[in-house]
Amino acid sequence: MVGELFAAACLDPDVLARLGGPIGEAARGAAASLAAEPARKQRATRAAWAAIARMPVPAGIRGVDPSWIEAGLAGLPATARTALASAAVDLPGVWLARWACSELVPLPADDAQRPPRSVADLVRLPGPDLAAWLDDVGADQLAFALAAAGDPAVTQAAPAVGEILLVARDRIRLAPRRGALGPVRAAIARCKVTLGDAALATIAARAIASHVDPWAARQLAIRLPHALGKVVLGELRAHAHSAHDQAPTWAALGA
């Protein structure tokens, strides 16, 4: 939808050609699709796309965790909540509703199942399934890193991490995870965290960062509770340019 909005607003293909990343690709694809339509239909399509830009609530946010909405409303006047709930049509109401949703991006339908076979599947996981998947990936990495010091190291860490670590220890010995979790040194570096509620998700975000583009990173974050999503987004951004050959393969991640 963001690509369609750019295509509706910009008539110059040279400008669209300068847009980078997934948004640029989407904008150019929408512009090409628009150009293939008859002139009369082009005007109607462009008007429909432009109308979406004036909606008080962005399209495609059904799968956003409600805590992101609450965080967006924090510090805004009480009328912002009313504007958001009532799909305001007056300009101040639209502005307030859009401000509250300023960190949100459109999401695809949350109709994917675990395990995700690609990043495209990953961003379609419902929030609870995504959180559980991240914990599993983090547990795999932690078990892999600890196993370098011997199996007793994994057993000793289990009380602090939970049964999930022992389950991970057993499954990383088998294909397709065996030999596909990245170099041990890289896993050890990823696992330098303070153990807590977000520890496994933090490790997982570092592990998958090189597979995830900035748009998908934001989509993943807003499916999670706000506090956890902020942590995951920060790690995805911080490790986005890590070497791809240091990361686990998608065959291991999607197992």
Side-chain angles (χ1 to χ4, degrees), residues 28-29 32 43 46 49 51 59 61 67-68 90 104 123 132 136 141 155 157 176 179 208:
R28 289 185 288 276
R43 289 192 292 272
R46 193 181 297 277
W49 289 352
I61 65 169
S67 58
W68 284 85
D90 62 298
L104 309 183
V123 300
D136 283 345
Q141 288 288 302
T155 305
I208 69 172

Side-chain angles (χ1 to χ4, degrees), residues 115-202:
R117 301 301 182 187
S118 64
V119 175
D121 281 348
L122 188 59
V123 300
R124 301 177 78 94
L125 283 180
D129 287 350
L130 173 61
W133 181 85
L134 287 169
D135 281 350
D136 283 345
V137 170
D140 285 350
Q141 288 288 302
L142 183 56
F144 182 50
L146 289 170
D151 197 58
V154 182
T155 305
Q156 290 170 11
V161 180
E163 184 71 19
I164 190 173
L165 185 64
L166 299 180
V167 174
R169 176 197 60 189
D170 294 337
R171 69 175 169 238
I172 65 173
R173 294 170 175 166
L174 307 173
R177 291 178 176 85
R178 184 179 179 87
L181 295 176
V184 174
R185 284 182 178 272
I188 292 172
R190 283 191 282 269
C191 292
K192 292 180 179 179
V193 299
T194 300
L195 292 181
D197 291 343
L200 295 180
T202 297

Side-chain angles (χ1 to χ4, degrees), residues 14-246:
D14 290 336
V15 173
L16 292 180
R18 296 189 184 99
L19 295 176
I23 292 177
E25 293 178 10
R28 289 185 288 276
S33 174
L34 190 64
E37 295 181 354
R40 181 176 297 178
K41 189 175 180 183
Q42 282 187 33
R43 289 192 292 272
T45 300
R46 193 181 297 277
W49 289 352
I52 292 171
R54 297 189 290 271
M55 293 171 58
V57 179
I61 65 169
R62 183 176 180 181
V64 172
D65 189 273
S67 58
W68 284 85
I69 304 292
E70 290 301 319
L73 289 168
L76 293 179
T79 51
R81 187 179 297 275
T82 302
L84 192 60
S86 62
V89 294
D90 62 298
L91 290 179
V94 170
W95 186 88
L96 284 169
R98 280 297 177 122
W99 184 274
C101 297
S102 60
E103 289 196 278
L104 309 183
V105 296
L107 292 173
D110 53 355
D111 55 4
Q113 296 181 345
R114 295 172 61 197
R117 301 301 182 187
S118 64
V119 175
D121 281 348
L122 188 59
V123 300
R124 301 177 78 94
L125 283 180
D129 287 350
L130 173 61
W133 181 85
L134 287 169
D135 281 350
D136 283 345
V137 170
D140 285 350
Q141 288 288 302
L142 183 56
F144 182 50
L146 289 170
D151 197 58
V154 182
T155 305
Q156 290 170 11
V161 180
E163 184 71 19
I164 190 173
L165 185 64
L166 299 180
V167 174
R169 176 197 60 189
D170 294 337
R171 69 175 169 238
I172 65 173
R173 294 170 175 166
L174 307 173
R177 291 178 176 85
R178 184 179 179 87
L181 295 176
V184 174
R185 284 182 178 272
I188 292 172
R190 283 191 282 269
C191 292
K192 292 180 179 179
V193 299
T194 300
L195 292 181
D197 291 343
L200 295 180
T202 297
I203 296 168
R206 296 172 180 177
I208 69 172
S210 65
H211 294 281
V212 179
D213 63 53
W215 185 259
R218 171 66 67 173
Q219 289 178 312
L220 294 175
I222 64 176
R223 285 206 184 275
L224 300 167
H226 185 260
L228 178 60
K230 280 287 194 181
V231 170
V232 168
L233 182 59
E235 296 295 341
L236 289 172
R237 287 174 169 171
H239 297 270
H241 300 294
S242 56
H244 203 62
D245 61 1
Q246 300 296 296

